[in-house]
Amino acid sequence: PLSALKLNKMFNKLYFICPTDNIESIINSKLNDNNFYITSLANSITLNYNFIRELYLIIESKKIREITFVLSDDNRLINDILENKDNKNIRSLDHLNLEIYSHKNFFKKELTISEIRLYIISYLLNQKKNELKKITDSLGLKLDINAKVYNKEVNEFTKVKSKLINMEFFNLN
């Protein structure tokens, strides 16, 4: 029967989300699998040895087959940084503040604030996705690793832009 076919397609997914986005219920309603979550402010989690060791245990025990980094297109923390609001009391965001400021200053003459926000979110999510992909590949884990942006206005998830300027290799003389 068709219902048995649907059950066979369900598998366990792990989502990295920002707690300020409040999107767990949206993910659960739109992406109908067995969903697990790890939260960090603006997905700024540091993928150090201890974290990877814990993540590996979660992946193995929950039989995770897919990991997705998700941020809302109006993430409060990223908006605060773009609007020069003070996040200096949150030490874990120091690196994120610097990164966003550099991108904002680079693009502020060429793009609207909305375009800059989407660019920065895409860049940050791609960076985390690629970092985790290298680690999971080196551990021999066969996982799909994705990054998505939740667009609140149209209530849908879209893949992040992947053809972005890589600031590490871009140089203005």
Side-chain angles (χ1 to χ4, degrees):
L2 189 57
S3 61
L5 183 64
K6 185 175 182 180
L7 285 176
N8 289 337
K9 287 191 170 203
M10 288 186 66
F11 57 93
N12 295 342
K13 294 181 181 179
L14 178 64
Y15 292 92
F16 282 80
I17 60 172
C18 177
T20 66
D21 286 340
N22 297 309
I23 59 175
E24 294 96 325
S25 62
I26 297 165
I27 290 172
N28 287 335
S29 68
K30 289 190 156 295
L31 308 171
N32 206 8
D33 287 297
N34 296 322
N35 302 322
F36 298 90
Y37 299 92
I38 292 178
T39 62
S40 69
L41 297 175
N43 266 320
S44 61
I45 195 159
T46 302
L47 301 177
N48 61 29
Y49 174 78
N50 290 330
F51 176 77
I52 294 301
R53 189 176 62 206
E54 293 295 320
L55 180 63
Y56 181 82
L57 293 174
I58 292 169
I59 290 168
E60 291 296 309
S61 68
K62 302 296 182 188
K63 299 183 181 0
I64 301 295
R65 292 179 48 197
E66 181 178 312
I67 297 175
T68 304
F69 291 90
V70 181
L71 284 176
S72 174
D73 64 349
D74 69 345
N75 180 273
R76 192 176 95 210
L77 294 168
I78 292 174
N79 282 341
D80 286 352
I81 296 169
L82 285 171
E83 294 168 9
N84 298 319
K85 292 185 181 169
D86 187 18
N87 279 329
K88 293 184 178 37
N89 294 334
I90 307 173
R91 295 188 109 192
S92 63
L93 294 180
D94 287 347
H95 178 70
L96 184 67
N97 281 327
L98 289 172
E99 198 159 7
I100 289 175
Y101 281 133
S102 70
H103 289 303
K104 178 184 173 186
N105 290 333
F106 182 78
F107 287 109
K108 69 182 176 184
K109 294 178 184 173
E110 304 296 324
L111 303 172
T112 67
I113 195 72
S114 177
E115 291 168 326
I116 292 171
R117 183 183 312 109
L118 185 57
Y119 167 82
I120 289 172
I121 289 170
S122 294
Y123 175 80
L124 294 172
L125 291 174
N126 271 326
Q127 189 178 37
K128 286 297 175 191
K129 177 183 101 169
N130 294 336
E131 185 180 356
L132 185 60
K133 182 72 175 148
K134 284 180 188 174
I135 292 168
T136 57
D137 285 353
S138 73
L139 294 172
L141 297 172
K142 303 283 189 243
L143 296 169
D144 289 329
I145 300 180
N146 305 298
K148 293 183 180 183
V149 176
Y150 175 65
N151 183 322
K152 281 190 175 180
E153 193 172 298
V154 295
N155 190 29
E156 70 181 24
F157 292 90
T158 57
K159 288 190 174 187
V160 296
K161 297 179 179 298
S162 60
K163 304 281 188 210
L164 301 172
I165 295 173
N166 187 337
M167 296 300 283
E168 294 172 14
F169 300 107
F170 193 84
N171 187 5
L172 292 177
N173 290 326

